[in-house]
Amino acid sequence: GAVVSQHPSRVICKSGTSVKIECRSLDFQATTMFWYRQFPKQSLMLMATSNEGSKATYEQGVEKDKFLINHASLTLSTLTVTSAHPEDSSFYICSAISGQGTDTQYFGPGTRLTVL
Amino acid sequence: EDQVTQSPEALRLQEGESSSLNCSYTVSGLRGLFWYRQDPGKGPEFLFTLYSAGEEKEKERLKATLTKKESFLHITAPKPEDSATYLCAAQGAQKLVFGQGTRLTINP
């Protein structure tokens, strides 16, 4: 149980284009989902927290107009990187919690974004 | 500010050589201490959750323990497939705070 998927696993795009990453909880309903960013040999940095049907809460320093998050259902959250630039290249990972009295976050496999 | 520090940064062991990884935390209102395993190019895989000092959990060759200031991940008789980065994270009142991780390499 507690499986989280992400799609795509890898994406390469040109500078100025937008990219959408999907995060799905496959065998549970996720009341809360999180989006992280990880640079090489560094730990995970929380970008934003999203609750189903509500606006996402962004961490300090994260541009909400650049990283659009939608959590339209209890099993799906999307992260759209708008007008991507090379400095947005990174490993993006989502996680989800079921909200059944536990804070345990289950992570997706990650999406490697490369902006040329 | 909540903080999690892991040591050592990297650790190389021979197959069968037991050792421990350390995670020191300063978190107000700790709601849980988590251990994850992360392989290169993949997302973290959940290992353990610890909630209170004195608690211990085991899974195969791994055992996690918790005190009021730190957590240890003990690995007994490791195998090459245990090679990975092990992440410790503490859940405070606001968010999950990760340590930098320990890169563990087990040589056959």
Side-chain angles (χ1 to χ4, degrees):
Chain A
V3 179
V4 177
S5 70
Q6 273 183 251
H7 179 80
S9 58
R10 235 173 239 280
V11 57
I12 301 172
C13 69
K14 292 183 179 179
S15 186
T17 61
S18 295
V19 174
K20 180 185 282 188
I21 303 170
E22 291 188 349
C23 176
R24 293 180 184 273
S25 56
L26 299 185
D27 53 1
F28 65 100
Q29 293 187 323
T31 55
T32 306
M33 287 183 164
F34 305 85
W35 287 95
Y36 291 83
R37 187 171 178 176
Q38 186 175 34
F39 290 105
K41 297 193 177 181
Q42 293 188 26
S43 195
L44 282 73
M45 295 299 296
L46 180 65
M47 298 174 66
T49 302
S50 74
N51 292 292
E52 185 262 340
S54 303
K55 286 185 178 180
T57 302
Y58 291 81
E59 293 298 301
Q60 193 170 8
V62 177
E63 298 175 60
K64 62 181 181 181
D65 294 330
K66 180 166 190 63
F67 298 100
L68 301 179
I69 292 171
N70 183 275
H71 191 164
S73 78
L74 285 173
T75 59
L76 174 64
S77 176
T78 60
L79 168 68
T80 301
V81 183
T82 63
S83 186
H85 291 285
E87 57 265 30
D88 299 323
S89 298
S90 189
F91 191 51
Y92 292 88
I93 313 174
C94 72
S95 69
I97 59 174
S98 67
Q100 301 294 328
T102 174
D103 287 325
T104 300
Q105 292 185 29
Y106 296 93
F107 286 82
T111 296
R112 172 74 58 193
L113 171 63
T114 302
V115 184
L116 302 177
Chain B
E1 185 181 337
D2 293 346
Q3 195 167 1
V4 175
T5 303
Q6 290 187 248
S7 62
E9 189 175 312
L11 181 62
R12 285 184 176 272
L13 301 172
Q14 288 299 121
E15 184 174 0
E17 182 184 1
S18 301
S19 188
S20 296
L21 313 182
N22 176 265
C23 169
S24 298
Y25 63 91
T26 306
V27 171
S28 53
L30 182 73
R31 285 162 47 176
L33 190 291
F34 302 85
W35 284 95
Y36 291 88
R37 168 190 171 131
Q38 186 175 27
D39 293 300
K42 297 189 177 179
E45 173 190 346
F46 171 70
L47 293 174
F48 304 108
T49 307
L50 301 166
Y51 291 105
S52 56
E55 189 175 0
E56 298 183 355
K57 288 193 176 172
E58 282 187 71
K59 179 181 177 181
E60 296 180 356
R61 296 177 292 281
L62 299 175
K63 183 170 79 172
T65 62
L66 182 65
T67 72
K68 288 187 177 179
K69 293 184 178 181
E70 54 192 352
S71 178
F72 292 92
L73 184 66
H74 307 277
I75 182 160
T76 303
K79 298 181 179 182
E81 54 262 41
D82 295 321
S83 297
T85 294
Y86 290 85
L87 298 170
C88 168
Q91 177 71 52
Q94 300 296 326
K95 63 182 181 181
L96 190 65
V97 178
F98 279 87
Q100 291 295 102
T102 294
R103 290 193 308 280
L104 179 64
T105 304
I106 308 298
N107 296 314

